[in-house]
Amino acid sequence: MTDTATDYRLLLTETLQKQIIILGPTISLTKARQVEGLQVTDDGRVNITVSDHKAVSIKLLEKFRELSPLLVKKTMKPLLHTILHPNQTQQPTVQTPPPQPTATPPMTTQPENQGSPAQNANDAGGGSQPEAKAADGSTNQGQSI
């Protein structure tokens, strides 16, 4: 097996195993096994049975692209790079700028409540009204006599 064939085999195996993690083995293995020229084991190892490794790789990409174009674009970058730039040995690194600091609003402090919780509730109008005593000595809360 040539170095190129080995490289494609390893790259396709790595790519398929990533898809197994993301999509699950049932979907990933089914899609890969639909590609003519590939033999796929249950653990995702790939063997290319035709001489045109690039064409088989493109067919595999197309099978997964049917499921989710954006997912394929993100997860299969190494394979795409190898197909598009076969003479480069290493994928160029993409420099991502550091995250920009975001302005945080100034914190405001609430004045602390003075007194007991019951007093604060009464001050806010949410407490109970004072008891009123009737002539017979019984109490009627919230009602005036």
Side-chain angles (χ1 to χ4, degrees):
M1 189 177 275
T2 65
D3 286 343
T4 303
T6 301
D7 290 344
Y8 270 100
R9 183 180 54 81
L10 293 174
L11 192 55
L12 289 175
T13 295
E14 178 184 334
T15 301
L16 180 57
Q17 288 175 340
K18 285 180 183 178
Q19 293 304 312
I20 289 172
I21 291 168
I22 295 167
L23 299 171
T26 304
I27 293 172
S28 300
L29 294 174
T30 300
K31 283 293 182 184
R33 287 176 177 151
Q34 292 173 352
V35 176
E36 190 175 326
L38 284 185
Q39 290 179 338
V40 181
T41 63
D42 288 340
D43 65 351
R45 284 181 286 144
V46 173
N47 188 26
I48 303 171
T49 60
V50 295
S51 60
D52 192 352
H53 305 104
K54 185 175 180 178
V56 170
S57 300
I58 291 171
K59 287 179 186 177
L60 181 68
L61 285 170
E62 288 172 353
K63 285 292 180 187
F64 282 102
R65 192 179 59 184
E66 292 170 2
L67 296 173
S68 173
L70 291 176
L71 183 65
V72 168
K73 185 176 179 182
K74 289 285 187 187
T75 61
M76 296 193 172
K77 279 186 178 181
L79 181 57
L80 286 168
H81 180 77
T82 300
I83 292 170
L84 298 174
H85 309 285
N87 296 330
Q88 291 183 356
T89 57
Q90 198 172 27
Q91 182 177 357
T93 57
V94 177
Q95 297 289 334
T96 56
Q100 297 296 321
T102 58
T104 55
M107 293 184 62
T108 59
T109 57
Q110 299 284 334
E112 290 187 28
N113 292 333
Q114 302 295 324
S116 70
Q119 288 173 329
N120 292 334
N122 285 336
D123 292 343
S128 62
Q129 297 182 5
E131 294 180 7
K133 289 195 179 188
D136 63 358
S138 64
T139 59
N140 296 322
Q141 278 189 327
Q143 298 177 0
S144 47
I145 315 178

